[in-house]
Protein backbone atom coordinates (compact mmCIF):
# COMPACT_ATOMS: atom_id res chain seq x y z
CA UNK A 1 0.00 0.00 0.00
CA UNK A 2 1.45 3.37 -0.97
CA UNK A 3 1.61 6.34 1.38
CA UNK A 4 -1.28 8.83 1.28
CA UNK A 5 -0.70 12.16 -0.35
CA UNK A 6 -1.90 15.69 0.26
CA UNK A 7 -3.92 17.53 -2.34
CA UNK A 8 -0.78 18.91 -4.01
CA UNK A 9 0.99 15.54 -4.02
CA UNK A 10 3.20 15.75 -0.93
CA UNK A 11 3.55 12.53 1.06
CA UNK A 12 1.55 12.48 4.27
CA UNK A 13 1.53 9.90 7.09
CA UNK A 14 -1.71 9.68 9.11
CA UNK A 15 -1.36 9.32 12.88
CA UNK A 16 -4.54 7.68 14.17
CA UNK A 17 -6.10 8.22 17.60
CA UNK A 18 -5.99 4.82 19.31
CA UNK A 19 -6.64 5.64 22.98
CA UNK A 20 -7.55 8.36 25.47
CA UNK A 21 -6.19 8.22 29.03
CA UNK A 22 -9.18 8.87 31.34
CA UNK A 23 -6.86 9.73 34.24
CA UNK A 24 -5.34 12.62 32.30
CA UNK A 25 -8.44 13.77 30.36
CA UNK A 26 -10.11 16.85 31.85
CA UNK A 27 -13.30 16.54 29.76
CA UNK A 28 -12.97 19.99 28.21
CA UNK A 29 -14.39 18.83 24.86
CA UNK A 30 -11.89 20.69 22.68
CA UNK A 31 -10.95 17.51 20.81
CA UNK A 32 -14.61 16.68 20.22
CA UNK A 33 -15.23 20.14 18.77
CA UNK A 34 -12.42 19.92 16.20
CA UNK A 35 -13.25 16.37 15.09
CA UNK A 36 -16.10 16.29 12.61
CA UNK A 37 -15.97 12.51 12.26
CA UNK A 38 -17.57 11.33 15.53
CA UNK A 39 -14.44 9.54 16.73
CA UNK A 40 -14.94 10.61 20.37
CA UNK A 41 -17.78 11.25 22.78
CA UNK A 42 -18.06 12.73 26.27
CA UNK A 43 -18.97 10.34 29.10
CA UNK A 44 -19.18 10.58 32.86
CA UNK A 45 -17.08 8.68 35.38
CA UNK A 46 -18.97 7.70 38.52
CA UNK A 47 -17.51 7.10 42.01
CA UNK A 48 -16.73 3.47 41.10
CA UNK A 49 -14.74 4.56 38.06
CA UNK A 50 -17.36 3.26 35.61
CA UNK A 51 -18.19 5.10 32.41
CA UNK A 52 -21.79 6.30 32.31
CA UNK A 53 -23.84 8.23 29.80
CA UNK A 54 -24.24 11.91 30.56
CA UNK A 55 -27.78 12.53 31.66
CA UNK A 56 -29.08 15.66 33.37
CA UNK A 57 -30.83 13.49 35.98
CA UNK A 58 -27.65 11.69 37.08
CA UNK A 59 -25.21 14.62 37.27
CA UNK A 60 -24.79 14.29 41.04
CA UNK A 61 -23.44 10.73 40.58
CA UNK A 62 -20.72 11.83 38.13
CA UNK A 63 -17.27 12.49 39.59
CA UNK A 64 -15.82 13.87 36.35
CA UNK A 65 -16.40 13.99 32.63
CA UNK A 66 -13.97 12.39 30.20
CA UNK A 67 -13.67 11.90 26.47
CA UNK A 68 -13.78 8.30 25.23
CA UNK A 69 -13.44 6.58 21.88
CA UNK A 70 -16.80 6.29 20.12
CA UNK A 71 -15.88 5.24 16.56
CA UNK A 72 -12.14 4.62 16.21
CA UNK A 73 -12.59 3.44 12.63
CA UNK A 74 -13.73 6.91 11.58
CA UNK A 75 -10.38 8.51 12.49
CA UNK A 76 -8.44 9.82 9.48
CA UNK A 77 -5.22 10.46 11.43
CA UNK A 78 -5.12 14.24 11.12
CA UNK A 79 -4.16 14.81 14.81
CA UNK A 80 -6.36 17.91 15.09
CA UNK A 81 -7.55 16.54 18.44
CA UNK A 82 -3.99 16.29 19.76
CA UNK A 83 -3.18 19.86 18.73
CA UNK A 84 -6.00 21.29 20.86
CA UNK A 85 -5.72 18.96 23.88
CA UNK A 86 -4.38 20.83 26.94
CA UNK A 87 -3.97 17.59 28.94
CA UNK A 88 -1.94 15.59 26.38
CA UNK A 89 -4.11 12.55 27.17
CA UNK A 90 -4.33 10.98 23.72
CA UNK A 91 -2.31 8.16 22.20
CA UNK A 92 -1.75 8.17 18.43
CA UNK A 93 -0.19 5.64 16.10
CA UNK A 94 0.61 5.57 12.38
CA UNK A 95 -0.87 2.06 12.35
CA UNK A 96 -4.63 1.90 12.89
CA UNK A 97 -5.39 -0.33 15.88
Amino acid sequence: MSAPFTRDGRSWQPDFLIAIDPKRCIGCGRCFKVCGRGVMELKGLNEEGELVALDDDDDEEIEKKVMVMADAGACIGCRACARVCPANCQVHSPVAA
Side-chain angles (χ1 to χ4, degrees):
M1 183 159 106
S2 63
F5 295 96
T6 64
R7 184 172 160 174
D8 67 359
R10 287 177 277 170
S11 181
W12 175 70
Q13 177 65 51
D15 205 11
F16 302 103
L17 178 64
I18 59 168
I20 302 170
D21 183 347
K23 292 179 181 139
R24 296 183 74 175
C25 180
I26 61 172
C28 68
R30 291 177 186 169
C31 57
F32 179 79
K33 291 175 185 171
V34 300
C35 179
R37 304 199 46 87
V39 175
M40 299 157 278
E41 67 181 324
L42 195 60
K43 293 276 190 169
L45 269 178
N46 65 17
E47 291 178 358
E48 290 81 35
E50 301 166 326
L51 289 173
V52 295
L54 292 177
D55 198 4
D56 291 337
D57 299 336
D58 297 331
D59 278 349
E60 65 273 357
E61 295 178 15
I62 295 172
E63 291 294 305
K64 90 180 221 184
K65 296 176 183 177
V66 295
M67 202 58 64
V68 298
M69 302 290 289
D71 185 2
C75 181
I76 61 171
C78 68
R79 288 187 57 94
C81 55
R83 288 192 297 275
V84 298
C85 180
N88 194 26
C89 63
Q90 301 167 350
V91 178
H92 290 79
S93 173
V95 178

Coordinates of all heavy atoms in Angstrom, one line a residue:
M1 N 0.8 -1.2 0.0 CA 0.0 0.0 0.0 C 0.9 1.2 0.0 O 1.8 1.4 0.8 CB -0.9 0.0 1.2 CG -1.9 1.1 1.3 SD -3.3 0.7 2.4 CE -2.9 1.7 3.8
S2 N 0.6 2.2 -0.9 CA 1.4 3.4 -1.0 C 1.0 4.4 0.1 O -0.1 4.4 0.6 CB 1.3 4.0 -2.4 OG 0.0 4.4 -2.6
A3 N 1.9 5.3 0.4 CA 1.6 6.3 1.4 C 0.6 7.3 0.8 O 0.5 7.6 -0.4 CB 2.9 7.1 1.7
P4 N -0.3 7.8 1.7 CA -1.3 8.8 1.3 C -0.6 10.1 0.9 O 0.6 10.4 1.3 CB -2.1 9.1 2.5 CG -1.8 8.0 3.5 CD -0.4 7.5 3.1
F5 N -1.2 10.9 0.1 CA -0.7 12.2 -0.4 C -1.7 13.3 0.0 O -2.9 13.1 0.0 CB -0.4 12.1 -1.9 CG 0.6 11.1 -2.2 CD1 0.3 9.8 -2.6 CD2 2.0 11.5 -2.2 CE1 1.3 8.9 -3.0 CE2 2.9 10.5 -2.5 CZ 2.6 9.3 -2.9
T6 N -1.1 14.5 0.1 CA -1.9 15.7 0.3 C -2.5 16.1 -1.1 O -2.1 15.5 -2.1 CB -1.1 16.9 0.8 OG1 -0.1 17.2 -0.1 CG2 -0.5 16.5 2.2
R7 N -3.3 17.1 -1.1 CA -3.9 17.5 -2.3 C -2.9 17.9 -3.4 O -3.1 17.7 -4.6 CB -4.8 18.7 -2.0 CG -5.6 19.2 -3.1 CD -6.6 20.3 -2.5 NE -7.0 21.1 -3.6 CZ -8.0 22.0 -3.4 NH1 -8.5 22.2 -2.2 NH2 -8.4 22.8 -4.3
D8 N -1.8 18.5 -3.0 CA -0.8 18.9 -4.0 C 0.3 17.9 -4.2 O 1.3 18.1 -4.9 CB -0.2 20.3 -3.7 CG 0.7 20.3 -2.4 OD1 0.8 19.2 -1.8 OD2 1.2 21.3 -2.0
G9 N 0.1 16.6 -3.7 CA 1.0 15.5 -4.0 C 2.1 15.3 -3.0 O 2.9 14.3 -3.2
R10 N 2.2 16.0 -2.0 CA 3.2 15.7 -0.9 C 2.8 14.5 -0.1 O 1.6 14.3 0.1 CB 3.3 16.9 0.0 CG 4.0 18.1 -0.6 CD 4.1 19.3 0.4 NE 2.8 19.9 0.3 CZ 2.3 20.9 1.1 NH1 3.0 21.3 2.1 NH2 1.1 21.4 0.9
S11 N 3.8 13.7 0.3 CA 3.6 12.5 1.1 C 3.1 12.9 2.4 O 3.5 13.9 3.0 CB 4.8 11.7 1.2 OG 4.6 10.6 1.9
W12 N 2.1 12.2 3.0 CA 1.5 12.5 4.3 C 1.3 11.2 5.0 O 0.8 10.2 4.5 CB 0.2 13.2 4.1 CG -0.5 13.5 5.4 CD1 -0.1 14.3 6.4 CD2 -1.7 12.9 5.9 NE1 -1.0 14.3 7.4 CE2 -2.0 13.4 7.1 CE3 -2.5 11.9 5.3 CZ2 -3.1 13.0 7.9 CZ3 -3.6 11.5 6.1 CH2 -3.9 12.1 7.3
Q13 N 1.7 11.1 6.3 CA 1.5 9.9 7.1 C 0.5 10.2 8.1 O 0.7 11.0 9.0 CB 2.8 9.5 7.8 CG 2.7 8.3 8.7 CD 2.4 7.0 8.0 OE1 3.0 6.7 7.0 NE2 1.4 6.4 8.4
P14 N -0.7 9.5 8.1 CA -1.7 9.7 9.1 C -1.2 9.2 10.5 O -0.4 8.3 10.5 CB -2.9 8.9 8.6 CG -2.4 8.1 7.4 CD -1.1 8.6 7.0
D15 N -1.7 9.7 11.5 CA -1.4 9.3 12.9 C -2.7 9.2 13.6 O -3.2 10.1 14.1 CB -0.5 10.4 13.5 CG 0.4 9.8 14.6 OD1 0.5 8.6 14.8 OD2 1.1 10.6 15.3
F16 N -3.2 8.0 13.7 CA -4.5 7.7 14.2 C -4.7 7.7 15.7 O -3.8 7.3 16.4 CB -5.0 6.3 13.7 CG -5.0 6.1 12.2 CD1 -3.9 5.4 11.6 CD2 -6.0 6.7 11.4 CE1 -3.9 5.3 10.2 CE2 -6.0 6.6 10.1 CZ -4.9 5.8 9.4
L17 N -5.8 8.2 16.2 CA -6.1 8.2 17.6 C -6.5 6.8 18.0 O -7.4 6.2 17.4 CB -7.3 9.1 17.9 CG -7.8 9.2 19.3 CD1 -6.7 9.7 20.3 CD2 -9.0 10.0 19.5
I18 N -5.7 6.2 18.9 CA -6.0 4.8 19.3 C -6.4 4.7 20.8 O -7.0 3.7 21.1 CB -4.8 3.9 19.0 CG1 -3.5 4.4 19.8 CG2 -4.5 3.8 17.5 CD1 -2.4 3.4 19.8
A19 N -6.2 5.7 21.6 CA -6.6 5.6 23.0 C -6.7 7.0 23.6 O -6.0 7.9 23.1 CB -5.7 4.8 23.8
I20 N -7.5 7.1 24.7 CA -7.6 8.4 25.5 C -7.4 7.9 26.9 O -8.1 7.1 27.4 CB -8.9 9.1 25.3 CG1 -9.1 9.4 23.8 CG2 -9.0 10.3 26.1 CD1 -10.5 9.9 23.5
D21 N -6.5 8.5 27.6 CA -6.2 8.2 29.0 C -7.2 9.0 29.9 O -7.1 10.2 30.1 CB -4.8 8.6 29.4 CG -4.4 8.3 30.8 OD1 -5.3 7.9 31.6 OD2 -3.2 8.3 31.1
P22 N -8.2 8.2 30.5 CA -9.2 8.9 31.3 C -8.6 9.5 32.6 O -9.3 10.4 33.2 CB -10.1 7.7 31.7 CG -9.3 6.5 31.6 CD -8.3 6.8 30.5
K23 N -7.5 9.1 33.0 CA -6.9 9.7 34.2 C -6.3 11.1 33.9 O -6.3 12.0 34.8 CB -5.8 8.8 34.8 CG -6.3 7.5 35.4 CD -5.2 6.7 35.9 CE -5.8 5.4 36.4 NZ -5.1 4.2 36.1
R24 N -5.9 11.3 32.7 CA -5.3 12.6 32.3 C -6.4 13.5 31.7 O -6.2 14.8 31.7 CB -4.2 12.4 31.3 CG -3.0 11.7 32.0 CD -1.9 11.5 31.0 NE -1.2 12.8 30.9 CZ -0.1 13.1 30.3 NH1 0.4 12.1 29.6 NH2 0.4 14.3 30.2
C25 N -7.4 13.0 31.1 CA -8.4 13.8 30.4 C -9.2 14.6 31.4 O -9.6 14.2 32.4 CB -9.4 12.8 29.6 SG -10.7 13.7 28.8
I26 N -9.4 15.9 31.0 CA -10.1 16.8 31.8 C -11.5 17.1 31.3 O -12.3 17.9 31.9 CB -9.3 18.2 32.0 CG1 -9.2 18.9 30.7 CG2 -8.0 17.9 32.7 CD1 -8.6 20.3 30.7
G27 N -11.9 16.4 30.3 CA -13.3 16.5 29.8 C -13.7 17.9 29.2 O -14.8 18.3 29.2
C28 N -12.7 18.6 28.7 CA -13.0 20.0 28.2 C -13.7 20.0 26.9 O -14.4 21.0 26.6 CB -11.7 20.8 28.1 SG -10.6 20.2 26.7
G29 N -13.6 18.9 26.1 CA -14.4 18.8 24.9 C -13.7 19.5 23.7 O -14.3 19.5 22.6
R30 N -12.6 20.0 23.8 CA -11.9 20.7 22.7 C -11.7 19.7 21.5 O -11.9 20.1 20.4 CB -10.6 21.3 23.1 CG -10.8 22.5 24.0 CD -9.4 23.0 24.5 NE -9.6 24.1 25.5 CZ -8.7 24.6 26.2 NH1 -7.5 24.1 26.1 NH2 -9.0 25.5 27.1
C31 N -11.2 18.5 21.8 CA -10.9 17.5 20.8 C -12.2 17.1 20.1 O -12.3 17.0 18.8 CB -10.3 16.3 21.4 SG -11.2 15.5 22.7
F32 N -13.3 17.0 20.8 CA -14.6 16.7 20.2 C -15.0 17.8 19.2 O -15.6 17.5 18.2 CB -15.6 16.5 21.3 CG -17.0 16.2 20.9 CD1 -17.3 14.9 20.5 CD2 -18.0 17.2 20.8 CE1 -18.6 14.6 20.0 CE2 -19.2 16.9 20.3 CZ -19.6 15.6 20.0
K33 N -14.8 19.0 19.6 CA -15.2 20.1 18.8 C -14.5 20.2 17.5 O -15.0 20.7 16.5 CB -15.1 21.5 19.5 CG -16.1 21.6 20.7 CD -15.9 22.8 21.5 CE -16.8 22.8 22.7 NZ -16.5 23.9 23.6
V34 N -13.2 19.8 17.4 CA -12.4 19.9 16.2 C -12.6 18.7 15.3 O -12.2 18.7 14.1 CB -10.9 20.2 16.4 CG1 -10.7 21.5 17.2 CG2 -10.2 19.0 17.1
C35 N -13.1 17.6 15.9 CA -13.3 16.4 15.1 C -14.7 16.3 14.5 O -15.6 16.2 15.3 CB -13.0 15.1 16.0 SG -13.2 13.6 15.1
G36 N -14.8 16.4 13.2 CA -16.1 16.3 12.6 C -16.5 14.9 12.2 O -17.4 14.7 11.5
R37 N -15.8 13.9 12.7 CA -16.0 12.5 12.3 C -16.6 11.6 13.3 O -16.8 10.4 13.1 CB -14.7 11.9 11.8 CG -14.0 12.8 10.7 CD -13.0 12.2 9.9 NE -13.3 10.9 9.4 CZ -14.0 10.6 8.3 NH1 -14.5 11.6 7.5 NH2 -14.2 9.3 7.9
G38 N -16.9 12.1 14.5 CA -17.6 11.3 15.5 C -16.7 10.3 16.2 O -17.2 9.2 16.6
V39 N -15.4 10.5 16.2 CA -14.4 9.5 16.7 C -14.6 9.5 18.2 O -14.4 8.4 18.8 CB -13.0 9.9 16.3 CG1 -12.0 9.0 17.0 CG2 -12.9 9.8 14.8
M40 N -14.9 10.6 18.9 CA -14.9 10.6 20.4 C -16.3 11.0 20.9 O -17.1 11.6 20.1 CB -13.9 11.6 20.9 CG -12.5 11.3 20.5 SD -11.4 12.7 20.5 CE -11.8 13.4 19.0
E41 N -16.6 10.8 22.1 CA -17.8 11.3 22.8 C -17.5 11.5 24.3 O -16.6 10.9 24.8 CB -19.0 10.3 22.6 CG -18.8 9.0 23.3 CD -20.0 8.1 23.1 OE1 -21.2 8.6 23.0 OE2 -19.8 6.9 23.0
L42 N -18.2 12.4 24.9 CA -18.1 12.7 26.3 C -18.9 11.8 27.1 O -20.1 11.6 26.9 CB -18.5 14.2 26.5 CG -18.0 14.8 27.8 CD1 -16.5 14.8 27.9 CD2 -18.6 16.2 27.9
K43 N -18.3 11.2 28.2 CA -19.0 10.3 29.1 C -18.7 10.8 30.5 O -17.8 11.6 30.7 CB -18.5 8.9 29.0 CG -18.8 8.2 27.7 CD -20.2 7.6 27.8 CE -20.4 6.7 26.6 NZ -21.6 5.9 26.7
G44 N -19.4 10.3 31.5 CA -19.2 10.6 32.9 C -18.5 9.4 33.5 O -18.7 8.3 33.1
L45 N -17.7 9.7 34.5 CA -17.1 8.7 35.4 C -17.7 8.8 36.7 O -17.7 9.8 37.4 CB -15.6 8.9 35.5 CG -14.6 8.3 34.6 CD1 -13.2 8.7 34.9 CD2 -14.8 6.8 34.5
N46 N -18.3 7.7 37.2 CA -19.0 7.7 38.5 C -18.0 7.4 39.6 O -16.8 7.2 39.3 CB -20.2 6.8 38.6 CG -19.8 5.3 38.4 OD1 -18.7 4.9 38.6 ND2 -20.8 4.5 38.1
E47 N -18.4 7.3 40.9 CA -17.5 7.1 42.0 C -16.8 5.8 41.9 O -15.7 5.6 42.4 CB -18.3 7.2 43.3 CG -18.8 8.5 43.6 CD -19.6 8.6 44.9 OE1 -19.9 7.5 45.5 OE2 -20.0 9.7 45.3
E48 N -17.4 4.8 41.3 CA -16.7 3.5 41.1 C -15.8 3.4 39.9 O -15.2 2.4 39.7 CB -17.8 2.4 40.9 CG -18.6 2.1 42.2 CD -19.7 3.1 42.4 OE1 -20.3 3.6 41.4 OE2 -20.0 3.5 43.5
G49 N -15.6 4.5 39.2 CA -14.7 4.6 38.1 C -15.3 4.0 36.8 O -14.6 3.7 35.8
E50 N -16.7 3.8 36.8 CA -17.4 3.3 35.6 C -17.8 4.4 34.7 O -18.2 5.4 35.2 CB -18.6 2.5 36.1 CG -18.3 1.3 37.0 CD -19.5 0.8 37.6 OE1 -20.5 1.5 37.9 OE2 -19.6 -0.5 37.9
L51 N -17.7 4.1 33.4 CA -18.2 5.1 32.4 C -19.7 5.1 32.4 O -20.3 4.0 32.3 CB -17.6 4.8 31.0 CG -16.1 5.1 30.8 CD1 -15.7 4.5 29.5 CD2 -15.8 6.5 31.0
V52 N -20.3 6.2 32.4 CA -21.8 6.3 32.3 C -22.2 7.4 31.3 O -21.4 8.3 31.1 CB -22.4 6.6 33.7 CG1 -22.2 5.5 34.7 CG2 -21.9 7.9 34.3
A53 N -23.3 7.2 30.7 CA -23.8 8.2 29.8 C -24.1 9.5 30.6 O -24.6 9.5 31.7 CB -25.1 7.7 29.1
L54 N -23.9 10.6 29.9 CA -24.2 11.9 30.6 C -25.7 12.1 30.4 O -26.3 12.1 29.4 CB -23.5 13.0 29.9 CG -22.0 13.0 30.1 CD1 -21.3 14.1 29.4 CD2 -21.6 13.1 31.6
D55 N -26.3 12.3 31.6 CA -27.8 12.5 31.7 C -28.0 13.6 32.7 O -27.5 13.5 33.8 CB -28.4 11.2 32.0 CG -29.9 11.1 31.7 OD1 -30.4 12.1 31.2 OD2 -30.5 10.1 32.1
D56 N -28.8 14.6 32.4 CA -29.1 15.7 33.4 C -29.6 15.1 34.7 O -29.3 15.7 35.8 CB -30.1 16.7 32.8 CG -29.5 17.4 31.6 OD1 -28.3 17.6 31.6 OD2 -30.3 17.9 30.8
D57 N -30.3 14.0 34.7 CA -30.8 13.5 36.0 C -29.8 12.9 36.9 O -29.9 12.8 38.1 CB -31.9 12.4 35.7 CG -33.0 12.9 34.9 OD1 -33.3 14.2 34.9 OD2 -33.7 12.2 34.2
D58 N -28.7 12.4 36.3 CA -27.6 11.7 37.1 C -26.4 12.5 37.3 O -25.4 11.9 37.8 CB -27.3 10.4 36.4 CG -28.4 9.4 36.2 OD1 -29.3 9.5 37.1 OD2 -28.4 8.7 35.3
D59 N -26.4 13.8 37.1 CA -25.2 14.6 37.3 C -24.6 14.5 38.7 O -23.4 14.6 38.8 CB -25.5 16.1 36.9 CG -25.4 16.3 35.4 OD1 -25.0 15.4 34.7 OD2 -25.8 17.4 35.0
E60 N -25.4 14.4 39.7 CA -24.8 14.3 41.0 C -24.0 13.0 41.3 O -23.2 12.9 42.2 CB -25.9 14.4 42.1 CG -26.9 13.3 42.2 CD -28.1 13.5 41.2 OE1 -28.2 14.6 40.6 OE2 -28.9 12.6 41.2
E61 N -24.2 12.0 40.4 CA -23.4 10.7 40.6 C -22.1 10.8 39.8 O -21.3 9.9 40.0 CB -24.3 9.6 40.1 CG -25.5 9.3 40.9 CD -26.4 8.2 40.3 OE1 -25.9 7.4 39.5 OE2 -27.5 8.1 40.7
I62 N -21.9 11.8 39.0 CA -20.7 11.8 38.1 C -19.6 12.6 38.9 O -19.8 13.7 39.3 CB -21.1 12.5 36.8 CG1 -22.0 11.6 36.0 CG2 -19.8 12.8 36.0 CD1 -22.6 12.3 34.8
E63 N -18.4 11.9 39.0 CA -17.3 12.5 39.6 C -16.6 13.4 38.6 O -16.1 14.5 39.0 CB -16.3 11.4 40.0 CG -16.8 10.6 41.2 CD -17.0 11.4 42.4 OE1 -16.0 12.0 42.9 OE2 -18.1 11.4 43.0
K64 N -16.5 13.0 37.4 CA -15.8 13.9 36.4 C -16.3 13.4 35.0 O -16.8 12.3 34.8 CB -14.3 13.9 36.5 CG -13.5 12.8 35.8 CD -12.0 12.9 36.0 CE -11.2 12.7 34.8 NZ -9.8 12.8 34.9
K65 N -16.1 14.3 34.0 CA -16.4 14.0 32.6 C -15.1 13.7 31.9 O -14.1 14.4 32.1 CB -17.2 15.1 32.0 CG -18.5 15.4 32.6 CD -19.2 16.6 32.0 CE -20.5 16.8 32.7 NZ -21.2 18.0 32.2
V66 N -15.1 12.7 31.0 CA -14.0 12.4 30.2 C -14.4 12.1 28.8 O -15.5 11.7 28.5 CB -13.2 11.2 30.8 CG1 -12.6 11.5 32.1 CG2 -14.1 9.9 30.8
M67 N -13.4 12.3 27.9 CA -13.7 11.9 26.5 C -13.3 10.4 26.3 O -12.3 10.0 26.9 CB -12.8 12.8 25.6 CG -13.3 12.9 24.2 SD -15.0 13.5 24.0 CE -14.9 15.2 24.6
V68 N -14.1 9.7 25.5 CA -13.8 8.3 25.2 C -13.9 8.1 23.7 O -14.5 8.9 23.0 CB -14.7 7.3 26.0 CG1 -14.6 7.5 27.5 CG2 -16.2 7.5 25.6
M69 N -13.3 7.0 23.3 CA -13.4 6.6 21.9 C -14.9 6.1 21.6 O -15.4 5.3 22.3 CB -12.5 5.4 21.6 CG -11.0 5.7 21.9 SD -10.3 6.9 20.7 CE -10.2 6.0 19.3
A70 N -15.5 6.7 20.5 CA -16.8 6.3 20.1 C -16.8 5.5 18.8 O -17.5 4.5 18.7 CB -17.7 7.5 19.9
D71 N -16.0 5.9 17.9 CA -15.9 5.2 16.6 C -14.5 5.4 16.0 O -14.2 6.2 15.2 CB -16.9 5.8 15.6 CG -16.9 5.1 14.3 OD1 -16.2 4.1 14.1 OD2 -17.7 5.6 13.4
A72 N -13.6 4.6 16.6 CA -12.1 4.6 16.2 C -11.9 4.5 14.7 O -11.0 5.1 14.1 CB -11.4 3.6 17.0
G73 N -12.7 3.7 14.1 CA -12.6 3.4 12.6 C -12.8 4.7 11.8 O -12.4 4.7 10.6
A74 N -13.5 5.7 12.3 CA -13.7 6.9 11.6 C -12.6 7.9 11.6 O -12.6 8.9 10.8 CB -15.0 7.6 12.1
C75 N -11.5 7.6 12.4 CA -10.4 8.5 12.5 C -9.6 8.5 11.2 O -9.3 7.5 10.6 CB -9.5 8.1 13.6 SG -8.0 9.1 13.9
I76 N -9.2 9.7 10.7 CA -8.4 9.8 9.5 C -7.0 10.1 9.8 O -6.2 10.3 8.9 CB -9.0 10.9 8.5 CG1 -9.0 12.2 9.1 CG2 -10.4 10.4 8.0 CD1 -9.4 13.4 8.2
G77 N -6.6 10.3 11.0 CA -5.2 10.5 11.4 C -4.7 11.9 11.3 O -3.5 12.1 11.1
C78 N -5.5 12.9 11.3 CA -5.1 14.2 11.1 C -4.5 14.9 12.3 O -3.8 15.9 12.2 CB -6.3 15.1 10.7 SG -7.6 15.3 11.9
R79 N -4.7 14.3 13.5 CA -4.2 14.8 14.8 C -4.7 16.2 15.2 O -4.1 16.8 16.1 CB -2.6 14.8 14.8 CG -2.0 13.4 14.9 CD -0.5 13.5 15.1 NE -0.1 14.2 16.2 CZ 0.2 13.6 17.4 NH1 0.0 12.4 17.6 NH2 0.6 14.4 18.4
A80 N -5.8 16.6 14.7 CA -6.4 17.9 15.1 C -6.7 17.8 16.6 O -6.5 18.8 17.3 CB -7.6 18.3 14.3
C81 N -7.2 16.7 17.0 CA -7.5 16.5 18.4 C -6.3 16.7 19.3 O -6.4 17.3 20.4 CB -8.2 15.2 18.7 SG -7.2 13.8 18.1
A82 N -5.2 16.2 18.9 CA -4.0 16.3 19.8 C -3.5 17.7 19.8 O -2.9 18.2 20.8 CB -2.9 15.4 19.2
R83 N -3.7 18.5 18.7 CA -3.2 19.9 18.7 C -3.9 20.8 19.7 O -3.4 21.8 20.1 CB -3.2 20.4 17.3 CG -2.1 19.8 16.4 CD -2.0 20.5 15.1 NE -3.2 20.5 14.3 CZ -3.5 19.5 13.4 NH1 -2.7 18.5 13.3 NH2 -4.6 19.6 12.7
V84 N -5.2 20.4 20.0 CA -6.0 21.3 20.9 C -6.1 20.8 22.3 O -6.6 21.4 23.2 CB -7.4 21.5 20.3 CG1 -7.4 22.2 19.0 CG2 -8.2 20.2 20.2
C85 N -5.6 19.6 22.6 CA -5.7 19.0 23.9 C -4.7 19.6 24.9 O -3.5 19.4 24.7 CB -5.5 17.5 23.8 SG -5.6 16.6 25.4
P86 N -5.3 20.2 25.9 CA -4.4 20.8 26.9 C -3.8 19.8 27.9 O -2.9 20.1 28.7 CB -5.3 21.8 27.7 CG -6.6 21.2 27.6 CD -6.7 20.5 26.2
A87 N -4.4 18.6 28.0 CA -4.0 17.6 28.9 C -3.0 16.5 28.3 O -2.6 15.7 29.1 CB -5.2 16.9 29.5
N88 N -2.8 16.6 27.1 CA -1.9 15.6 26.4 C -2.3 14.2 26.8 O -1.5 13.4 27.2 CB -0.5 15.9 26.7 CG 0.5 15.1 25.8 OD1 0.1 14.8 24.7 ND2 1.7 14.9 26.3
C89 N -3.6 13.8 26.7 CA -4.1 12.6 27.2 C -4.4 11.5 26.1 O -4.8 10.4 26.3 CB -5.4 12.8 28.0 SG -6.7 13.4 27.0
Q90 N -4.0 11.9 24.8 CA -4.3 11.0 23.7 C -3.1 10.2 23.3 O -2.0 10.7 23.3 CB -4.9 11.8 22.6 CG -6.2 12.5 23.0 CD -6.5 13.6 22.0 OE1 -5.8 13.9 21.0 NE2 -7.7 14.1 22.1
V91 N -3.4 9.0 22.8 CA -2.3 8.2 22.2 C -2.6 8.0 20.7 O -3.7 7.6 20.3 CB -2.3 6.8 22.9 CG1 -1.2 5.9 22.2 CG2 -2.1 6.9 24.4
H92 N -1.6 8.3 19.9 CA -1.8 8.2 18.4 C -0.7 7.2 17.9 O 0.3 7.0 18.5 CB -1.5 9.5 17.8 CG -2.6 10.5 18.0 ND1 -2.7 11.2 19.2 CD2 -3.7 10.9 17.3 CE1 -3.8 12.0 19.1 NE2 -4.4 11.8 18.0
S93 N -1.1 6.6 16.7 CA -0.2 5.6 16.1 C -0.4 5.7 14.6 O -1.5 5.9 14.1 CB -0.5 4.2 16.6 OG 0.3 3.3 15.9
P94 N 0.7 5.6 13.8 CA 0.6 5.6 12.4 C -0.1 4.3 11.9 O -0.5 4.3 10.7 CB 2.0 5.7 11.9 CG 2.9 5.2 13.0 CD 2.1 5.5 14.3
V95 N -0.2 3.3 12.7 CA -0.9 2.1 12.4 C -2.2 2.0 13.1 O -2.3 2.2 14.3 CB 0.0 0.8 12.8 CG1 -0.8 -0.4 12.4 CG2 1.3 0.9 12.1
A96 N -3.3 1.9 12.3 CA -4.6 1.9 12.9 C -4.8 0.6 13.7 O -4.4 -0.4 13.3 CB -5.7 1.9 11.8
A97 N -5.2 0.8 15.0 CA -5.4 -0.3 15.9 C -6.8 -0.9 15.8 O -7.7 -0.3 15.5 CB -5.1 0.1 17.3

